[in-house]
Structures are given as structure tokens and as C-alpha cells.
């Protein structure tokens, strides 16, 4: 059975990402076509990228990087729950992604975003990053509005119609994660020029 990580993409105090990710995880638990796990980047205490060797070489020296690597490597696909900060993703999420390379390759990803414009611009940037990491991002996306899906712009209270979108997202992530599985059995070499 495929393993799918639901990644909480913010570490900001008072963040909304945790409530959104827990809602996504509750919907995931109603399914029996994959295993789902919440992964909180905050739990890994990743400082600003502090590895002396590029991630594409996989030569990690820091214990936090090794723990993060093992966690991300254990999944077949990902659902990123991301806020939109200043028309982009959070710095913490970008930093966490940039710590690794091979662990992301030949897997699938989907996005649940939130913000004043539904987090669409953050996801546009994540799609570019995923392409560079050889991650197949799916078309379905869940966009949550701070105005209509959060009471007083703070308490998460999603419109019920989003549940169908979450399941469509899962359908696509699981299909692509399964389709890419044969590629993960054959490592792709990467040449890095320093």
C-alpha cells in the first residue's frame, strides 16, 4: 500500500496550517487505498540549510538532516499544506524541501493551500520546485480562502464542498504515486558540478 505524507508547511506561531492539515488527515482516514501520516516540519528543527555538501549528493552530516531524510524517503507521495506568505510559500517549507534531493525523486505531490487568494500563488511556485526535484505534481488542488473558510480570518471552518476536492486530490496523488513506483526502484544518477 502506498504511503502518503500530509506535510504541514508552516512553523509560524499561531499558524493555520496545522488545523488545515489535521482536517485533510481526518478525511484521509476515511480511505482505505493508502496509508496517510501527518508530517510536521516543525518537529525536525531544521535550521537554515546547514549542510556543507549539496543535497543531490546525499552526503548528510547533521542529525536533523538524517532524520528528515529518513522520514521523507519513507513515503511514495506527498500532500503539501501550504500558506501563502507574500505571494509565495513559507521560508520554512522551502528550507525543508531544499534539504533533500533524491528522497523526493519520482514521487507524486498534491497541494492544499490557503490565503487571501486561496494560496494559488504559493502553489504556482511549489509546482516549479517540484519539477526540479523530479516530483510529478497533480492537477487537482484544494484552495481555501481566509475570507470564507476561516471564521474571523482565524478559526478554520471549511466549506463542506471542499471535501470532494480533497478526495479528488487524493485520487490523483495515489494514482500517480503508484504509477511512478517502478521508477523509484531504479535510481537515477545525478551529476553535480561544483
Amino acid at each position: 500500500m502506498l504511503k502518503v505524507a500530509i506535510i504541514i508547511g508552516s512553523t509560524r506561531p499561531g499558524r493555520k496550517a496545522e488545523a488545515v492539515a489535521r482536517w485533510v488527515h481526518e478525511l484521509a482516514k476515511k480511505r482505505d487505498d493508502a496509508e496517510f501520516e501527518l508530517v510536521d516540519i516543525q518537529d525536525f528543527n531544521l535550521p537554515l540549510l546547514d549542510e556543507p555538501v549539496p543535497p543531490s549528493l546525499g552526503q548528510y552530516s547533521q542529525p536533523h538532516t538524517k532524520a528528515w531524510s529518513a522520514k521523507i524517503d519513507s513515503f511514495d507521495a506527498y500532500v503539501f499544506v501550504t500558506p501563502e506568505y507574500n505571494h509565495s510559500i513559507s521560508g520554512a517549507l522551502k528550507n525543508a524541501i531544499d534539504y533533500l534531493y533524491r528522497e523526493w525523486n519520482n514521487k507524486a505531490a498534491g497541494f492544499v493551500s490557503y490565503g487571501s487568494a486561496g494560496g494559488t500563488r504559493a502553489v504556482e511556485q511549489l509546482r516549479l520546485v517540484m519539477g526540479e526535484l523530479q516530483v510529478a505534481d497533480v492537477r487537482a488542488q484544494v484552495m481555501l480562502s481566509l475570507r470564507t473558510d476561516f471564521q474571523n480570518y482565524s478559526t478554520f471552518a471549511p466549506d463542506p464542498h471542499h471535501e470532494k476536492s480533497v478526495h479528488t486530490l487524493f485520487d490523483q496523488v495515489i494514482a500517480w504515486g503508484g504509477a511512478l513506483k517502478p521508477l523509484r526502484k531504479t535510481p537515477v544518477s545525478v551529476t553535480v558540478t561544483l
Side-chain angles (χ1 to χ4, degrees), residues 34-100:
E35 294 178 28
F36 298 90
E37 182 180 334
L38 273 177
V39 176
D40 192 344
I41 59 176
Q42 185 170 270
D43 293 342
F44 291 85
N45 297 312
L46 299 169
L48 191 58
L49 187 56
D50 64 348
E51 288 287 345
V53 176
S56 58
L57 297 178
Q59 300 171 5
Y60 306 130
S61 61
Q62 302 294 337
H64 52 261
T65 309
K66 292 175 184 177
W68 179 237
S69 169
K71 178 54 75 177
I72 292 305
D73 197 39
S74 71
F75 295 102
D76 300 294
Y78 312 96
V79 172
F80 291 91
V81 175
T82 182
E84 181 175 310
Y85 295 160
N86 300 317
H87 292 209
S88 186
I89 62 175
S90 73
L93 178 56
K94 181 65 165 81
N95 184 57
I97 291 169
D98 288 346
Y99 257 90
L100 308 175

Side-chain angles (χ1 to χ4, degrees), residues 16 19-20 114-115 144-158:
K16 296 168 182 56
V20 175
Y114 63 90
L144 303 164
S145 168
L146 286 175
R147 187 175 58 79
T148 59
D149 295 304
F150 293 82
Q151 294 173 349
N152 299 318
Y153 293 87
S154 60
T155 304
F156 185 52

